Amino acid sequence: SQQGEEDPQALSIQEGENATMNCSYKTSINNLQWYRQNSGRGLVHLILIRSNEREKHSGRLRVTLDTSKKSSSLLITASRAADTASYFCATDYRNQGGKLIFGQGTELSVKP
Amino acid sequence: DAGITQSPRYKITETGRQVTLMCHQTWSHSYMFWYRQDLGHGLRLIYYSAAADITDKGEVPDGYVVSRSKTENFPLTLESATRSQTSVYFCASSDWNSPLHFGNGTRLTVT
């Protein structure tokens, strides 16, 4: 299976704290993507990081990619209650004629 | 309006019936995907398509059939629905090396 793994599965923090979620994958990738899903809703794209990139930022979000360790992390700084959601990484293996596979997600709860 | 549309939003069907979920995108994206989402499993890829008339199996293709005669449409058919296929189904599209754009999902219940 090419499915990556995310940890932690669940994370509970206080408003203002930082939240870090990790994603590991198994073989070479084209890019790695992070998505957010609010309960009962569709998925919203957050950041895409390509295999030749090491770090990307978007507002309070910071994503890193370590291809030697086959891992990525998503950092949300100064979290807010509105950040409460599930966060998924998706690994893009299409450069190998492969697929775009999601991890099982991290459920983040930010308490006010 | 540009976007990706799934229909129906909700569907209840009986075991053994054939049901087709529709997906239509207006961006002319080359890639289209079908995922199912179940509690505890995240999103699992059912089938995907790199272009019209090109489809390939994902992680959980058994019991499903897809076709893509036109770039903009990617229907998913459950040939003989089973209770284990009760799930939320998401369609998505993208270009090469680009993010996915998701539809709002179809909640399917098989009784």
Side-chain angles (χ1 to χ4, degrees):
Chain A
S1 168
Q2 291 175 306
Q3 188 173 35
E5 295 182 0
E6 291 186 60
D7 77 271
Q9 290 188 6
L11 181 60
S12 182
I13 59 175
Q14 297 294 130
E15 257 189 340
E17 293 181 339
N18 296 342
T20 299
M21 289 158 262
N22 302 296
C23 174
S24 62
Y25 57 92
K26 297 185 179 177
T27 62
S28 296
I29 58 173
N30 194 34
N31 64 65
L32 189 142
Q33 305 174 25
W34 286 91
Y35 291 83
R36 167 193 169 123
Q37 184 181 36
N38 288 85
S39 180
R41 306 291 294 273
L43 283 88
V44 174
H45 173 253
L46 298 175
I47 291 182
L48 180 152
I49 186 164
R50 294 188 168 82
S51 59
N52 61 350
E53 297 174 316
R54 292 298 167 258
E55 188 170 313
K56 286 189 86 168
H57 297 256
S58 177
R60 293 183 296 112
L61 307 181
R62 172 178 168 248
V63 166
T64 61
L65 179 66
D66 186 335
T67 53
S68 65
K69 294 182 179 178
K70 294 185 173 56
S71 67
S72 174
S73 66
L74 169 66
L75 169 66
I76 303 173
T77 60
S79 63
R80 306 166 181 167
D83 293 328
T84 295
S86 294
Y87 292 82
F88 295 90
C89 69
T91 40
D92 187 337
Y93 298 103
R94 288 179 287 177
N95 56 327
Q96 301 176 62
K99 312 168 177 70
L100 211 157
I101 303 293
F102 279 79
Q104 294 193 4
T106 294
E107 195 170 323
L108 175 65
S109 175
V110 182
K111 302 188 186 307
Chain B
D1 290 339
I4 182 164
T5 305
Q6 291 185 237
S7 62
R9 288 297 310 277
Y10 303 92
K11 176 73 176 177
I12 300 174
T13 191
E14 294 177 342
T15 301
R17 289 196 181 268
Q18 182 181 85
V19 59
T20 297
L21 310 184
M22 305 301 292
C23 180
H24 175 80
Q25 54 110 352
T26 59
W27 290 294
S28 298
H29 285 159
S30 54
Y31 285 86
M32 295 189 75
F33 303 82
W34 275 106
Y35 293 91
R36 60 177 289 176
Q37 186 174 31
D38 307 289
L39 277 174
H41 288 282
L43 281 83
R44 290 183 291 177
L45 180 63
I46 305 171
Y47 269 95
Y48 68 107
S49 168
D53 297 322
I54 300 175
T55 62
D56 206 349
K57 295 179 180 179
E59 302 169 275
V60 288
D62 292 345
Y64 303 95
V65 174
V66 293
S67 62
R68 195 168 176 207
S69 57
K70 294 184 177 180
T71 299
E72 61 266 30
N73 295 325
F74 191 39
L76 176 73
T77 297
L78 288 68
E79 294 188 297
S80 178
T82 64
R83 290 195 180 90
S84 65
Q85 293 177 310
T86 292
S87 187
V88 180
Y89 291 84
F90 286 100
C91 179
S93 70
S94 83
D95 279 326
W96 170 258
N97 210 15
S98 297
L100 297 181
H101 297 261
F102 279 89
N104 288 325
T106 294
R107 188 174 295 272
L108 175 68
T109 301
V110 183
T111 62

